[in-house]
Amino acid sequence: MQIAIWGAGKFGNYVLRQIKDNSTVSVVCIIDKNPDLNMEQGIRIVTPNVFIEEYSNKIDCILVAFLNGKSVRKQLLGMKVNSWGIFRDRVWFEQLKISKDLKNDSNILWNDNKEIELLPVLETLETNVVDYCNLNCKGCSHFSNIFSKDAQIPYEIFERDIKVLSNKVYIRRFYLLGGEALLNKSIKNYFQCISENMCKTEIVLVTNGLLIPNLSKDTLESMIRFNVMVSITEYPPVTKMKDKIMAVLEKFRVKYEFRERVDTFGKNIDLSGKNNPMESQKVCREKFCQFLRDGKIFKCPFSALGNYYFDYYNISLHFEEGIDIFDENLNWDLVVEELRKTPIELCKYCGKEEQFKWEVSGNPDKGDWLIKE
């Protein structure tokens, strides 16, 4: 099969390195708006217009390999090529292997896939279903240990936002967390809301797992019914209960995973505001944690929840961040692209992360989050 790869950046090179060993595929050219870039294997780079003039009758398909590749689907329709596919962003973010059988690779959206004609793709979105926690880690990035125990996200707000987003953007994976998400006694309703309004979206419940041995049968069965993945963060107290947690989940055949054990936390808030936003974004551990909160999508949890921290400790900062999902004039293709690529004003207040030993903090101090005042 003779193919062209659209994208001469890091993503395109990543794809090219894998495809070079596929004996059924030959890369004829690379498409990119900047033909002066250099590919690792010296393959010619051409603009979309040059491709149409010189190559459209020489190749069997185009593979798009850059973030938010769906943004060029309208251009692809005019490329005079019968077959084209767009790599999902997760191939790059998660460094996934590409199948030698390209046509059956689930990480490629081919032009005959109905999903390709629908909505812009946001790889992940997360939201708190409660803001407080039963563990209260020192320096929690969601500030859970300074929220009150009645800080639960109303289901009506959650449902409203999910219904709006379901018509604006395709979310591949939706994370429900907190605080401790399982402190929300109506969590199954949140599962059901996503399942009914975003039927193709993967639901992931992020939890410390400590409450799992005491969950009701109804809640556990709802995890099966709505195909929920339970993702357990293994803090030191969780390790002691790991066998009990696994036994309950396996008894009810709930899908689960244990994340890498957490023995350290990091803090990076720098109140001087003198950091380079682009450099801060490059090293940010939450740069792919787009966050839904009360009708807005935020670049990260800090931009969504930081004002609560500032107010709690009487810090004279306040930021108006977030994208209003009710704005009818939004270009969602652009929104998806900008969320991950473009830093925000708040990034100036994120410095080089400092590690410290994980511990529970029942009496949090504002310095638990600060590297510099």
Side-chain angles (χ1 to χ4, degrees), residues 106-139:
S106 62
N107 290 313
I108 303 175
L109 287 171
W110 290 100
N111 55 296
D112 58 357
N113 186 325
K114 289 183 179 180
E115 184 183 318
I116 206 72
E117 300 297 335
L118 298 178
L119 304 170
V121 178
L122 183 60
E123 284 292 307
T124 64
L125 186 63
E126 60 183 51
T127 194
N128 283 3
V129 291
V130 293
D131 288 321
Y132 65 100
C133 189
N134 59 340
L135 198 52
N136 290 327
C137 306
K138 178 181 177 180

Side-chain angles (χ1 to χ4, degrees), residues 175-215:
Y175 292 89
L176 300 176
L177 29 70
E180 170 47 50
L182 288 175
L183 287 168
N184 187 315
K185 303 302 183 184
S186 303
I187 189 66
K188 65 180 182 180
N189 294 335
Y190 295 70
F191 299 156
Q192 183 172 357
C193 181
I194 298 174
S195 180
E196 290 181 350
N197 291 284
M198 300 176 172
C199 60
K200 293 183 178 180
T201 296
E202 299 175 33
I203 304 172
V204 182
L205 174 74
V206 181
T207 172
N208 59 42
L210 295 174
L211 298 176
I212 287 176
N214 297 316
L215 287 180

Side-chain angles (χ1 to χ4, degrees), residues 67 93 268 275-290 298-300 303 335-353:
L67 298 183
F93 288 128
N268 69 338
N275 297 284
N276 181 316
M278 189 63 73
E279 294 302 315
S280 294
Q281 178 178 258
K282 285 180 182 178
V283 298
C284 179
R285 67 178 182 272
E286 295 185 327
K287 59 186 172 184
F288 301 138
C289 300
Q290 281 65 64
F298 295 82
K299 185 173 181 65
C300 64
S303 61
V335 166
V336 168
E337 183 175 1
E338 293 295 306
L339 271 170
R340 291 195 166 184
K341 287 178 58 178
T342 306
I344 57 177
E345 180 73 9
L346 195 63
C347 294
K348 294 195 300 185
Y349 293 84
C350 293
K352 184 178 180 181
E353 186 172 273

Side-chain angles (χ1 to χ4, degrees), residues 244-260:
K244 290 183 178 179
I245 293 168
M246 293 171 60
V248 170
L249 294 175
E250 290 174 6
K251 177 182 177 180
F252 285 87
R253 298 183 180 179
V254 175
K255 293 187 300 182
Y256 72 91
E257 64 179 5
F258 275 88
R259 297 184 175 191
E260 187 175 352

